[in-house]
Amino acid sequence: MKSDYKWYILALAMFTYGWITGTARNAMPVLFKEISLDLNLTTLSVGTIWGMDPLAGVFVGLLGGMLVDRFGIRKTLAVVCVLAGLFSAVRGLSVDFLTMAGSMFLFGMMVAMLPSIVPKAAAVWFPPQQVGFVNALINIALSVGSMIATMLSATVLSPMLGGWRNVLFFLSVPAVLVGILWLVTGREPQKHELQTGEICQVSLRQSLTRVLKMPQVWILGLISLALWGSIMGLMGYLPMYLRDTGMSPALSDTAVTVINAAGMIGSIPMVLLATKFRAYKQLFLISVIVNVISLILIPLVSHVWLWPVLFVSSFLRSSTPALANVMLLETKGVGITYVGTAMGLMSSLGMVGACIAPPLGNAMAASGPQWPFFVWAALG
């Protein structure tokens, strides 16, 4: 017997990931110019604040995976979503560097748990041959959410709502609402609905001990450290860099939108290509190489050539999150019982890179605006 309820779960998962990790989080880069003027922040301060979000993930990314393996998808996501909405709103109350950094850390704690929780819904409710495709849909939701943030937050919502603070308050409400939906309408799959084997609830200690002994999880985590770090640095710095080079504010924000749009367009075809030819590792490696090349080219090309560089590189690397999740699920000994913890470990290592890369790159801007890109390329 097949259940159509899994599509409702997928819709909830996509909205959760798209809104909290995409819209509520990625509104910050395009608002940073306004925030920095209001709070008197330097470029290094902005990079540090942007890095506080993933810094939180270093501590809780693994914990999120362990919690979902222990308590299930519904309960874990209900709590995480409600807290994400509350902490997101707290950002709008910031009055200086310390309060903004602290509120970003609190919000980042919730955001960082989602990459190790939401993909488990795909592993639990969908058969193995569809897991890659469903993960691609979840990441498309992330791209759509990010596009909404970058297109509307600074140029539409801020003037309409009366400033960046009210924008952050406004973007926080849907996170609380979706948390309530998880609590009221969500549930775990029944035995006949399981698609990837039976779920065994294990202790936090048992899941952690098991996953820490798996070399492939560590390898994927270390690659994620470099990849997430370089991308996080790019997304936070690019709008400010382009404005300083003479590009209009609206067009500068569009650059981040192009990155997200290309990622959305490329997610499904790249994943389907990898699935058809079982070329997960090969495409994953290509994505890393393309990311490095694009970072080197961005400060070297003219504004005209910037757009194809951003689009092509983002298209080709769009499949990396989905491919990493599929490779983790197929790792011997992981399965759906330990996949949350495995994704949590990979996410935590990725967050280490995402935490150190923005301030590390931004600090080099004093030597020249192009240097942050070269630092992130070296990390990649």
Side-chain angles (χ1 to χ4, degrees):
M1 178 179 178
K2 294 184 178 180
S3 173
D4 291 332
Y5 181 76
K6 66 183 180 182
W7 298 108
Y8 174 71
I9 287 292
L10 176 60
L12 269 186
M14 289 175 65
F15 184 83
T16 299
Y17 207 55
W19 192 267
I20 298 176
T21 310
T23 306
R25 177 196 236 175
N26 288 313
M28 294 302 292
V30 296
L31 291 172
F32 272 145
K33 193 70 175 180
E34 183 181 352
I35 294 172
S36 63
L37 293 174
D38 191 15
L39 302 185
N40 195 27
L41 302 175
T42 65
T43 302
L44 177 57
S45 297
V46 168
T48 303
I49 289 171
W50 186 230
M52 294 304 291
D53 180 326
L55 174 63
V58 176
F59 302 100
V60 302
L62 176 57
L63 177 62
M66 295 168 65
L67 289 175
V68 75
D69 285 343
R70 179 66 181 87
F71 298 106
I73 297 169
R74 181 182 71 92
K75 293 178 182 178
T76 309
L77 279 178
V79 173
V80 169
C81 289
V82 171
L83 290 178
L86 295 177
F87 292 150
S88 174
V90 169
R91 296 178 300 173
L93 302 175
S94 303
V95 295
D96 54 21
F97 168 76
L98 289 178
T99 52
M100 176 59 82
S103 61
M104 281 289 288
F105 184 86
L106 290 174
F107 175 63
M109 289 176 66
M110 300 301 107
V111 174
M113 290 189 181
L114 294 178
S116 54
I117 298 175
V118 172
K120 184 164 182 174
V124 169
W125 282 94
F126 290 85
Q129 63 270 24
Q130 293 182 350
V131 169
F133 174 74
V134 172
N135 270 282
L137 289 178
I138 291 172
N139 283 288
I140 284 176
L142 171 63
S143 297
V144 172
S146 299
M147 289 171 61
I148 292 172
T150 55
M151 287 190 298
L152 302 180
S153 298
T155 55
V156 177
L157 292 179
S158 183
M160 182 175 67
L161 297 177
W164 63 271
R165 297 181 188 276
N166 290 333
V167 174
L168 296 181
F169 296 149
F170 174 77
L171 297 180
S172 303
V173 175
V176 176
L177 296 179
V178 77
I180 296 173
L181 279 178
W182 276 110
L183 183 63
V184 175
T185 66
R187 65 173 174 84
E188 305 300 322
Q190 300 174 11
K191 200 166 186 178
H192 69 272
E193 295 172 318
L194 287 172
Q195 299 288 342
T196 323
E198 187 174 353
I199 302 176
C200 300
Q201 287 196 334
V202 295
S203 67
L204 300 180
R205 180 180 179 182
Q206 182 180 344
S207 62
L208 179 61
T209 303
R210 179 74 172 267
V211 168
L212 288 179
K213 295 178 181 179
M214 299 179 181
Q216 186 164 337
V217 178
W218 284 98
I219 292 172
L220 286 170
L222 291 173
I223 295 174
S224 297
L225 184 152
L227 195 60
W228 290 22
S230 59
I231 294 175
M232 192 76 169
L234 170 67
M235 298 288 276
Y237 179 71
L238 186 60
M240 293 190 299
Y241 166 80
L242 293 177
R243 292 186 189 199
D244 291 341
T245 59
M247 188 176 288
S248 69
L251 207 55
S252 299
D253 296 347
T254 301
V256 181
T257 305
V258 167
I259 293 174
N260 292 315
M264 178 186 68
I265 295 170
S267 292
I268 290 180
M270 292 295 288
V271 168
L272 292 179
L273 182 66
T275 302
K276 180 178 181 179
F277 294 102
R278 304 291 295 175
Y280 301 125
K281 294 180 181 178
Q282 291 87 339
L283 283 181
F284 198 84
L285 177 61
I286 289 173
S287 299
V288 175
I289 295 173
V290 166
N291 184 57
V292 171
I293 295 174
S294 68
L295 285 167
I296 295 173
L297 289 177
I298 286 172
L300 301 180
V301 300
S302 65
H303 286 173
V304 174
W305 284 101
L306 173 70
W307 306 108
V309 169
L310 293 178
F311 186 89
V312 172
S313 61
S314 301
F315 183 97
L316 293 177
R317 71 164 180 256
S318 60
S319 61
T320 49
L323 295 180
N325 290 340
V326 172
M327 286 190 285
L328 276 182
L329 186 60
E330 292 189 347
T331 298
K332 184 178 179 180
V334 173
I336 58 173
T337 298
Y338 298 100
V339 69
T341 305
M343 289 179 179
L345 178 57
M346 182 180 72
S347 175
S348 290
L349 290 171
M351 290 294 179
V352 171
C355 168
I356 64 175
L360 180 64
N362 283 24
M364 295 298 295
S367 301
Q370 75 279 10
W371 278 104
F373 299 104
F374 298 151
V375 170
W376 297 322
L379 178 63

